[in-house]
């Protein structure tokens, strides 16, 4: 049956409403689809503004307890692993903000395992939209802005309190760290979702690297064993999302013997991690077998 196509008054064919992406590059298809789905969930959220305000404050308050824990530690000690409170606040602020941005954009990726188990992933496969965009934008939660706000407030406190000899490179390092860190966390989200095609009940494994990873980065690397520090530097490159750039800004040496310029590799590491995560996602999606339900 021929597909009906709308025609404008000037005689040109008009793209039908909904998802019609045949003439667009695949990446642009995904970006537009993500934006449309996200906008739908935002409109749904804002229909109940009082509820949104309460959940936003709740998300802010819950994440704030992480920093309150650090404050309580400093009521008993003057330094933690050789770092002062403002220095740890810088680590915390960069990590929490980067992860908050990623959690806002890709926080629904841990639902892949559930979709595989109950067969609802099939409905995503038959739509003319990249599956990754649909999964990432599913149930987009605007309340996660609370985590970003809390991270930015702690970061602001650190920058106001610390006596840093600022240079153009150090000032550039801060936004580069947040963007690169969000991309690194995003790659872990996508790779974890790809793993759920194989181990369908593995969302907690994914969360141990994402939510657990950001908690790890909120503390100085000197409090951890060097083997762990090496692992999050050379295996799962979480150190590039906070530790390495932050220590460059603070003028401190990294526990693992690395040159200071390595801190500027965060964008390259993020790009490589995203590329590997994309390959893992494609492999996982190809291995998917429908439940038949």
């Amino acid at each position: 049956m021929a597909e009906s196509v709308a025609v404008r008054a000037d005689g040109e064919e008009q793209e039908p409403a909904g998802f019609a992406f045949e003439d667009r590059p695949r990446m642009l298809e995904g970006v537009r689809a993500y934006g449309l789905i996200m906008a739908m969930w935002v409109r749904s959220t804002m229909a109940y503004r009082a509820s949104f305000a309460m959940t936003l404050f709740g998300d802010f308050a819950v994440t704030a307890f992480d920093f309150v824990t650090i404050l309580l530690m400093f009521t008993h000690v003057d330094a933690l692993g050789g770092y002062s409170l403002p220095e740890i606040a810088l680590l915390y602020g960069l990590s929490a903000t980067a992860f908050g941005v990623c959690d806002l954009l890709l926080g629904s990726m841990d639902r892949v395992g559930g979709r595989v188990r109950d067969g609802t992933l099939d409905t995503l496969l038959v739509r003319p939209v990249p599956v990754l965009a649909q999964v990432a934008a599913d149930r987009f939660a605007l309340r996660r802005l609370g985590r970003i706000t809390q991270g930015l407030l702690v970061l602001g406190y650190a920058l106001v309190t610390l006596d840093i000899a600022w240079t153009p490179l150090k000032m550039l390092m801060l936004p580069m760290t947040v963007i690169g860190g969000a991309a690194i966390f995003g790659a872990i989200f996508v790779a974890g979702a790809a793993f759920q095609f194989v181990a369908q009940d593995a969302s907690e494994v994914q969360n141990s690297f994402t939510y657990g990873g950001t908690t790890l980065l909120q503390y100085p690397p000197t409090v951890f064993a060097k083997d762990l520090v090496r692992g999050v530097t050379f295996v799962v490159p979480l150190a590039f999302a906070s530790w390495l750039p932050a220590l460059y800004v603070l003028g401190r040496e990294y526990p693992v013997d690395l040159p200071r310029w390595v801190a500027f590799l965060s964008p390259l590491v993020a790009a490589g991690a995203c590329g590997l995560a994309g390959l893992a996602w494609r492999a996982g999606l190809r291995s998917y077998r429908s439940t038949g339900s």
Side-chain angles (χ1 to χ4, degrees):
M1 182 173 61
E3 180 183 1
S4 59
V5 178
V7 180
R8 299 200 304 259
D10 58 3
E12 294 293 329
E13 290 184 353
Q14 182 178 350
E15 186 180 84
F19 299 115
F21 303 109
E22 291 80 358
D23 297 329
R24 292 185 175 87
R26 191 69 174 169
M27 183 174 292
L28 293 181
E29 293 179 12
V31 172
R32 186 187 174 202
Y34 180 93
L36 291 172
I37 299 170
M38 178 191 69
M40 176 190 70
W41 283 107
V42 170
R43 288 195 299 270
S44 174
T45 299
M46 299 309 293
Y48 304 94
R49 295 176 185 267
S51 175
F52 166 68
M54 288 187 288
T55 56
L56 179 67
F57 176 77
D59 211 56
F60 174 89
V62 168
T63 55
F65 278 115
D66 292 338
F67 192 65
V68 170
T69 301
I70 296 174
L71 292 176
L72 291 175
M73 290 182 188
F74 273 89
T75 60
H76 300 283
V77 298
D78 295 326
L80 185 62
Y83 285 70
S84 65
L85 177 60
E87 289 175 321
I88 292 181
L90 181 67
L91 298 177
Y92 180 101
L94 289 173
S95 172
T97 304
F99 179 76
V101 172
C102 176
D103 192 39
L104 175 68
L105 299 177
L106 298 174
S108 299
M109 296 298 297
D110 58 358
R111 293 192 176 95
V112 170
R115 286 189 172 275
V116 172
R117 290 194 303 273
D118 60 24
T120 55
L121 188 69
D122 293 359
T123 61
L124 307 184
L125 293 172
V126 299
R127 296 172 183 166
V129 179
V131 177
L132 180 59
Q134 296 182 71
V135 173
D138 183 38
R139 299 186 180 278
F140 182 87
L142 198 60
R143 60 176 171 76
R144 290 173 177 150
L145 286 172
R147 181 187 292 273
I148 300 175
T149 303
Q150 189 262 339
L152 286 173
L153 288 175
V154 175
L155 181 60
Y157 159 76
L159 295 178
V160 169
T161 309
L162 286 169
D163 184 18
I164 299 174
W166 289 105
T167 64
L169 287 179
K170 287 185 178 181
M171 288 188 287
L172 176 64
M173 184 67 74
L174 295 179
M176 186 178 73
T177 303
V178 173
I179 296 171
I184 290 171
F185 278 117
I188 297 173
F189 265 111
V190 174
F195 179 65
Q196 292 186 55
F197 284 107
V198 180
Q200 299 169 12
D201 198 13
S203 60
E204 293 306 319
V205 176
Q206 175 182 335
N207 291 342
S208 67
F209 287 96
T210 53
Y211 292 92
T214 187
T215 301
L216 176 79
L217 296 177
Q218 290 167 3
Y219 295 88
T222 51
V223 304
F224 300 104
K226 284 197 174 182
D227 287 340
L228 177 61
V229 175
R230 292 188 185 97
V232 297
T233 304
F234 302 111
V235 182
V236 182
L238 287 170
F240 290 89
S242 173
W243 280 349
L244 283 166
L247 296 188
Y248 175 85
V249 172
L250 293 172
R252 284 179 168 266
E253 296 296 327
Y254 193 57
V256 178
D257 189 19
L258 290 174
R260 296 193 68 197
W261 56 263
V262 171
F264 291 92
L265 296 181
S266 179
L268 293 178
V269 171
C274 289
L276 292 174
L279 293 175
W281 173 262
R282 291 174 65 89
L285 195 59
R286 283 197 298 268
S287 68
Y288 171 68
R289 296 295 180 266
S290 172
T291 61
S293 58

